[in-house]
Amino acid sequence: MKTCITIIFLMLLAPLSAQNDTIFFDKNWKTSNKEIAFYYRIKPLKVKTKDAIGYKIKNIDSLFIIKDYYLINNQLQFQGYSSDYKAEQLFGRAEWFNKDGKMIDANNFNYKKSNTNSKFKIPEWPILYLNYSIADKSLLTGGLEFCLTQSKNKLFLGAGYGITNSYNGKYYGLPDIHLSYNTDYLLFVKAGSSSKNAYAVGGLTVFNMIDLGLGYSFAYNKEKIPTYEGFTASISFRISKNKNVYTKLNIIQ
């Protein structure tokens, strides 16, 4: 008799326990009751961080196993690992599915630190640039640039070395340093200097890949060659694997 009572008690307790172990969400992923829910999550269990994602994370010993389901057909909607049971910070591989069970997205939230102990880090790989300009003489300059801003408007700091065409049968080298401000509206202004002259140009940029400019060059000493002065026309090219260097094409619909 006592056995039968125990079995009946456990059978009555089981649905209540399952209800308490299930978190329901509405269509906007706000916690709700079952009657208006679109998704549900079984109460997350914990697992050792290294067992979950294959490596340890400082100050995080374990992660929650997160699995969400569509209420309409109990199909898996999401699975991944999180440091909190609300799944606000994900770690390792995460996957999302549609109602038919087809994976629609996946992402790897990798927080594994590299083995290097170096604290110095170059923020962006230098950009190769090539510039051709002409005033009283022509000047071909090549060098490196760094992008100093992350916004849509870019500020480039560059340094390089140029070669002028012949003065009395000779060629001369001119070091170059410059700043170029390129806007999101396909315009740019640029100012720079060598050991012999200072210059300022402005004009149009083709998505920061090509700059077409007009300006003026001032010689520091007109009596010492090479002099490079007068109204200036220039064209510059930038080459970089960093896509953030270039302005994206905005199509108005």
Side-chain angles (χ1 to χ4, degrees), residues 127 129 143-148 155-160 176-180 190-193 199:
I127 305 155
Y129 85 90
L144 300 176
E145 284 185 330
F146 293 87
C147 185
L148 303 181
L155 180 63
F156 298 102
L157 171 64
D176 174 77
I177 185 168
H178 66 264
L179 280 172
S180 181
K190 179 179 177 182
S193 176
Y199 61 90

Side-chain angles (χ1 to χ4, degrees), residues 77-223:
Q77 186 271 338
F78 169 82
Q79 64 179 4
Y81 300 97
S82 175
S83 58
D84 61 286
Y85 72 94
K86 292 184 179 181
E88 293 181 350
Q89 186 173 15
L90 300 176
F91 292 83
R93 183 173 175 81
E95 299 174 338
W96 289 261
F97 304 86
N98 62 18
K99 291 181 181 180
D100 298 324
K102 182 180 178 181
M103 185 186 299
I104 56 176
D105 196 10
N107 201 349
N108 188 20
F109 297 86
N110 189 356
Y111 296 88
K112 189 173 182 180
K113 293 183 178 180
S114 63
N115 294 325
T116 178
N117 294 321
S118 175
K119 294 183 179 180
F120 176 76
K121 183 179 179 181
I122 297 175
E124 289 188 10
W125 187 252
I127 305 155
L128 298 176
Y129 85 90
L130 185 67
N131 180 84
Y132 176 78
S133 58
I134 184 168
D136 60 333
K137 297 290 183 179
S138 61
L139 177 65
L140 181 63
T141 305
L144 300 176
E145 284 185 330
F146 293 87
C147 185
L148 303 181
T149 57
Q150 300 295 329
S151 62
K152 291 182 179 180
N153 298 327
K154 307 296 184 183
L155 180 63
F156 298 102
L157 171 64
Y161 198 80
I163 302 295
T164 67
N165 63 331
S166 64
Y167 287 80
N168 300 322
K170 295 181 180 180
Y171 287 81
Y172 292 85
L174 294 176
D176 174 77
I177 185 168
H178 66 264
L179 280 172
S180 181
Y181 184 71
N182 293 43
T183 73
D184 190 37
Y185 299 100
L186 306 182
L187 300 174
F188 83 96
V189 290
K190 179 179 177 182
S193 176
S194 73
S195 59
K196 297 290 185 178
N197 70 300
Y199 61 90
V201 296
L204 298 176
T205 178
V206 183
F207 309 114
N208 298 334
M209 292 184 245
I210 303 174
D211 294 349
L212 301 170
L214 295 173
Y216 196 86
S217 174
F218 304 86
Y220 290 141
N221 191 332
K222 297 181 180 181
E223 296 178 359

